[in-house]
Amino acid sequence: MSEHINFRVDGHVAELTLNRPDKLHALNVDMLHAMTEHVQEVDRNHEVRVLVITSTGDRSFCCGADIIEWAAMSPVEMWRVWIKTGSSLMNSIRALAIPVIASMNGLALGGGLELALAADIRIATTTTRVGMPEAKLGIIPGWGGTQVLKQVIGPSRTKQLIFTGEIIPAAKAGSWGLINEVVEPEEIEQRIASMAEAIAANAPIAVQATKALVDAESSRHDGPHLEGIAGALTQFTEDASAGVEAFKNKQRTNPAFHGR
Ligand code: COA
């Protein structure tokens, strides 16, 4: 566990909070491990219907991977530990059946923007600015950034952001479809709470099925998601009852299936 990650569940809403304000919430390996464990906890807890990812303070949502930590790694450590741990965290957030909201209260840069991109909904404030400054450091966004950003804002704007490393204001990111809503800084907490409550009050299976279906084309997890839905649907067909009944009766030939 990490002293820089807070986690709580309140009713049907879980909240994962980055708490490393002196480093603008830069992510180190301990934080990645702690977040992964909490995401797994959320996945197991069927009472949780929404996950909110946020950070303390209002200066930064997350300024990316801890440059000092990764710069000291060997290429093999970078590959086996850093890229793998970060990517699998982003993938596990994306693979959650429940909706995930990023509350982007401040700067979201590099891995911080990749973290926000792992969420389904991104809410920002008028002071939020976003960017992918990796090329300024001689590297590339390594936690799925190039691929996911392209799905959200298209290839041309993705290239613009990464080629230039420019940091753009929330209003522009909103007009590009990168941010769902931009609110005043003093309003974000209330807006996130009301959105999370609205989602949590709706039928969870309908919400989760919608997430799986909307993500089906783009998500690497579409197979398991669709399989889950298809499995649950087929189990309750007349045909499945007939098939199970035939098995119980030790009938070795197929029963008549009617497509119902
Ligand atoms: N990794 C490690 N430390 C980071 C960090 C990161 N990604 N982003 C910020 N910090 C640290 C700074 O080193 C500084 O620590 P210090 O007080 O011990 O020196 C602290 O956070 C505050 O940042 P500072 O640079 O002093 O604030 P600023 O307002 O002058 O600049 C930024 C803010 C975001 C422009 C600048 O911190 C920055 O460029 N950060 C790196 C962003 C980035 O490239 N992210 C992608 C990483 S792969």
Side-chain angles (χ1 to χ4, degrees), residues 22-24 26 59 63-68 70 107 109-111 133-134 137 139 167:
D22 56 327
K23 299 290 181 191
L24 306 183
R59 200 170 154 212
C63 273
D66 186 324
I67 299 167
I68 307 300
W70 65 249
L107 283 163
L109 302 179
E134 280 85 348
L137 296 162
I139 58 166
I167 296 175

Tab-separated table of all heavy atoms in Angstrom, residues 22-24 26 59 63-68 70 107 109-111 133-134 137 139 167, ligand 1:
chain	number	residue	atom	x	y	z
A	22	ASP	N	2.871	17.493	-3.131
A	22	ASP	CA	4.168	18.179	-3.291
A	22	ASP	C	4.863	17.789	-4.588
A	22	ASP	O	5.741	18.507	-5.066
A	22	ASP	CB	5.066	17.913	-2.070
A	22	ASP	CG	5.271	16.424	-1.821
A	22	ASP	OD1	4.343	15.637	-2.099
A	22	ASP	OD2	6.363	16.037	-1.370
A	23	LYS	N	4.462	16.658	-5.194
A	23	LYS	CA	5.026	16.246	-6.491
A	23	LYS	C	3.936	16.281	-7.571
A	23	LYS	O	4.010	15.563	-8.569
A	23	LYS	CB	5.616	14.828	-6.399
A	23	LYS	CG	6.763	14.688	-5.400
A	23	LYS	CD	8.019	15.393	-5.875
A	23	LYS	CE	9.165	15.216	-4.870
A	23	LYS	NZ	10.308	16.096	-5.166
A	24	LEU	N	2.949	17.097	-7.340
A	24	LEU	CA	1.826	17.258	-8.286
A	24	LEU	C	1.206	15.903	-8.641
A	24	LEU	O	0.797	15.673	-9.768
A	24	LEU	CB	2.267	18.024	-9.537
A	24	LEU	CG	2.928	19.392	-9.291
A	24	LEU	CD1	3.260	20.082	-10.616
A	24	LEU	CD2	2.043	20.293	-8.450
A	26	ALA	N	2.596	13.005	-9.066
A	26	ALA	CA	3.336	12.128	-9.995
A	26	ALA	C	3.262	10.696	-9.466
A	26	ALA	O	3.359	10.451	-8.258
A	26	ALA	CB	4.789	12.589	-10.095
A	59	ARG	N	-4.408	21.954	-7.766
A	59	ARG	CA	-3.369	22.358	-8.712
A	59	ARG	C	-3.157	21.316	-9.805
A	59	ARG	O	-2.900	21.649	-10.962
A	59	ARG	CB	-2.067	22.563	-7.927
A	59	ARG	CG	-1.091	23.403	-8.670
A	59	ARG	CD	0.095	23.806	-7.832
A	59	ARG	NE	1.219	24.063	-8.702
A	59	ARG	CZ	2.482	23.858	-8.379
A	59	ARG	NH1	2.797	23.417	-7.185
A	59	ARG	NH2	3.431	24.120	-9.242
A	63	CYS	N	0.396	14.739	-12.660
A	63	CYS	CA	1.385	15.212	-13.642
A	63	CYS	C	2.194	14.079	-14.244
A	63	CYS	O	3.310	14.286	-14.733
A	63	CYS	CB	2.270	16.288	-13.033
A	63	CYS	SG	1.480	17.894	-13.229
A	64	GLY	N	1.641	12.866	-14.213
A	64	GLY	CA	2.232	11.765	-14.962
A	64	GLY	C	3.126	10.868	-14.147
A	64	GLY	O	3.138	10.898	-12.914
A	65	ALA	N	3.892	10.070	-14.882
A	65	ALA	CA	4.812	9.135	-14.249
A	65	ALA	C	5.915	9.913	-13.545
A	65	ALA	O	6.312	10.987	-14.001
A	65	ALA	CB	5.414	8.250	-15.334
A	66	ASP	N	6.401	9.357	-12.428
A	66	ASP	CA	7.467	10.012	-11.661
A	66	ASP	C	8.769	9.940	-12.469
A	66	ASP	O	9.404	8.887	-12.557
A	66	ASP	CB	7.617	9.306	-10.302
A	66	ASP	CG	8.607	10.015	-9.400
A	66	ASP	OD1	9.623	10.537	-9.913
A	66	ASP	OD2	8.368	10.056	-8.188
A	67	ILE	N	9.130	11.077	-13.030
A	67	ILE	CA	10.278	11.130	-13.951
A	67	ILE	C	11.572	10.713	-13.245
A	67	ILE	O	12.401	9.997	-13.826
A	67	ILE	CB	10.432	12.561	-14.529
A	67	ILE	CG1	9.178	12.931	-15.317
A	67	ILE	CG2	11.671	12.671	-15.405
A	67	ILE	CD1	9.069	14.401	-15.680
A	68	ILE	N	11.718	11.132	-11.988
A	68	ILE	CA	12.954	10.812	-11.267
A	68	ILE	C	13.055	9.295	-11.075
A	68	ILE	O	14.125	8.705	-11.242
A	68	ILE	CB	12.979	11.517	-9.874
A	68	ILE	CG1	12.714	13.020	-10.035
A	68	ILE	CG2	14.278	11.243	-9.126
A	68	ILE	CD1	13.720	13.765	-10.892
A	70	TRP	N	11.473	6.737	-12.887
A	70	TRP	CA	11.696	5.902	-14.077
A	70	TRP	C	13.024	6.182	-14.764
A	70	TRP	O	13.623	5.294	-15.367
A	70	TRP	CB	10.527	5.916	-15.062
A	70	TRP	CG	10.165	7.191	-15.784
A	70	TRP	CD1	9.046	7.932	-15.585
A	70	TRP	CD2	10.872	7.846	-16.850
A	70	TRP	NE1	9.026	9.012	-16.432
A	70	TRP	CE2	10.138	8.977	-17.228
A	70	TRP	CE3	12.064	7.581	-17.539
A	70	TRP	CZ2	10.535	9.860	-18.238
A	70	TRP	CZ3	12.474	8.451	-18.545
A	70	TRP	CH2	11.725	9.576	-18.885
A	107	LEU	N	-3.924	20.190	-13.459
A	107	LEU	CA	-3.140	19.673	-14.582
A	107	LEU	C	-3.285	18.156	-14.759
A	107	LEU	O	-3.256	17.417	-13.766
A	107	LEU	CB	-1.658	19.954	-14.333
A	107	LEU	CG	-1.137	21.377	-14.550
A	107	LEU	CD1	0.219	21.541	-13.853
A	107	LEU	CD2	-1.014	21.670	-16.040
A	109	LEU	N	-1.219	15.601	-17.070
A	109	LEU	CA	-0.141	15.512	-18.060
A	109	LEU	C	0.379	14.088	-18.189
A	109	LEU	O	0.482	13.369	-17.187
A	109	LEU	CB	1.022	16.423	-17.656
A	109	LEU	CG	0.713	17.915	-17.484
A	109	LEU	CD1	1.963	18.669	-17.068
A	109	LEU	CD2	0.147	18.504	-18.775
A	110	GLY	N	0.751	13.713	-19.399
A	110	GLY	CA	1.378	12.414	-19.632
A	110	GLY	C	0.566	11.278	-19.040
A	110	GLY	O	-0.620	11.091	-19.359
A	111	GLY	N	1.205	10.510	-18.139
A	111	GLY	CA	0.512	9.391	-17.490
A	111	GLY	C	-0.732	9.829	-16.727
A	111	GLY	O	-1.650	9.036	-16.524
A	133	PRO	N	3.381	15.666	-22.648
A	133	PRO	CA	4.686	16.289	-22.883
A	133	PRO	C	5.862	15.322	-23.048
A	133	PRO	O	7.016	15.748	-23.011
A	133	PRO	CB	4.865	17.157	-21.625
A	133	PRO	CG	4.059	16.494	-20.567
A	133	PRO	CD	2.994	15.677	-21.239
A	134	GLU	N	5.570	14.035	-23.236
A	134	GLU	CA	6.650	13.030	-23.249
A	134	GLU	C	7.750	13.321	-24.267
A	134	GLU	O	8.934	13.075	-24.000
A	134	GLU	CB	6.069	11.623	-23.527
A	134	GLU	CG	5.462	10.962	-22.307
A	134	GLU	CD	4.016	11.348	-22.052
A	134	GLU	OE1	3.535	12.300	-22.692
A	134	GLU	OE2	3.372	10.685	-21.219
A	137	LEU	N	10.708	14.993	-23.195
A	137	LEU	CA	11.633	14.222	-22.351
A	137	LEU	C	12.354	13.149	-23.164
A	137	LEU	O	13.149	12.379	-22.627
A	137	LEU	CB	10.849	13.527	-21.225
A	137	LEU	CG	10.153	14.429	-20.212
A	137	LEU	CD1	9.085	13.653	-19.460
A	137	LEU	CD2	11.167	15.003	-19.232
A	139	ILE	N	10.775	10.633	-24.720
A	139	ILE	CA	10.081	9.332	-24.639
A	139	ILE	C	8.701	9.441	-25.296
A	139	ILE	O	8.365	10.489	-25.863
A	139	ILE	CB	9.948	8.844	-23.171
A	139	ILE	CG1	9.198	9.887	-22.330
A	139	ILE	CG2	11.311	8.550	-22.583
A	139	ILE	CD1	8.739	9.355	-20.992
A	167	ILE	N	0.472	22.138	-23.896
A	167	ILE	CA	-0.502	21.923	-22.822
A	167	ILE	C	-1.700	22.807	-23.140
A	167	ILE	O	-1.568	24.029	-23.254
A	167	ILE	CB	0.138	22.265	-21.463
A	167	ILE	CG1	1.292	21.273	-21.206
A	167	ILE	CG2	-0.882	22.188	-20.347
A	167	ILE	CD1	2.106	21.555	-19.968
B	1	COA	N1	7.683	13.393	-11.947
B	1	COA	C1	8.364	13.704	-10.825
B	1	COA	N2	8.226	14.859	-10.188
B	1	COA	C2	7.344	15.750	-10.696
B	1	COA	C3	6.607	15.493	-11.865
B	1	COA	C4	6.800	14.236	-12.497
B	1	COA	N3	6.116	13.882	-13.576
B	1	COA	N4	5.830	16.573	-12.137
B	1	COA	C5	6.082	17.464	-11.157
B	1	COA	N5	6.996	16.981	-10.301
B	1	COA	C6	7.538	17.620	-9.109
B	1	COA	C7	8.604	18.646	-9.421
B	1	COA	O1	9.862	18.029	-9.664
B	1	COA	C8	8.587	19.472	-8.160
B	1	COA	O2	9.268	18.762	-7.152
B	1	COA	P1	10.340	19.529	-6.195
B	1	COA	O3	9.525	20.580	-5.490
B	1	COA	O4	10.860	18.466	-5.283
B	1	COA	O5	11.354	20.115	-7.112
B	1	COA	C9	7.112	19.480	-7.788
B	1	COA	O6	6.517	18.364	-8.460
B	1	COA	C10	6.380	20.743	-8.239
B	1	COA	O7	6.600	20.925	-9.617
B	1	COA	P2	7.316	22.234	-10.255
B	1	COA	O8	7.987	21.820	-11.513
B	1	COA	O9	8.155	22.921	-9.244
B	1	COA	O10	6.024	23.115	-10.555
B	1	COA	P3	5.830	24.165	-11.740
B	1	COA	O11	4.521	24.803	-11.501
B	1	COA	O12	7.035	24.999	-11.892
B	1	COA	O13	5.724	23.251	-13.076
B	1	COA	C11	4.920	21.443	-14.437
B	1	COA	C12	4.654	22.364	-13.220
B	1	COA	C13	3.791	20.431	-14.478
B	1	COA	C14	4.952	22.251	-15.727
B	1	COA	C15	6.289	20.716	-14.244
B	1	COA	O14	6.339	20.155	-12.936
B	1	COA	C16	6.503	19.610	-15.214
B	1	COA	O15	6.836	19.849	-16.365
B	1	COA	N6	6.321	18.326	-14.781
B	1	COA	C17	6.553	17.186	-15.599
B	1	COA	C18	5.326	16.842	-16.409
B	1	COA	C19	5.620	15.701	-17.375
B	1	COA	O16	6.500	15.773	-18.208
B	1	COA	N7	4.870	14.597	-17.236
B	1	COA	C20	5.059	13.420	-18.017
B	1	COA	C21	5.974	12.495	-17.305
B	1	COA	S1	6.406	11.058	-18.243
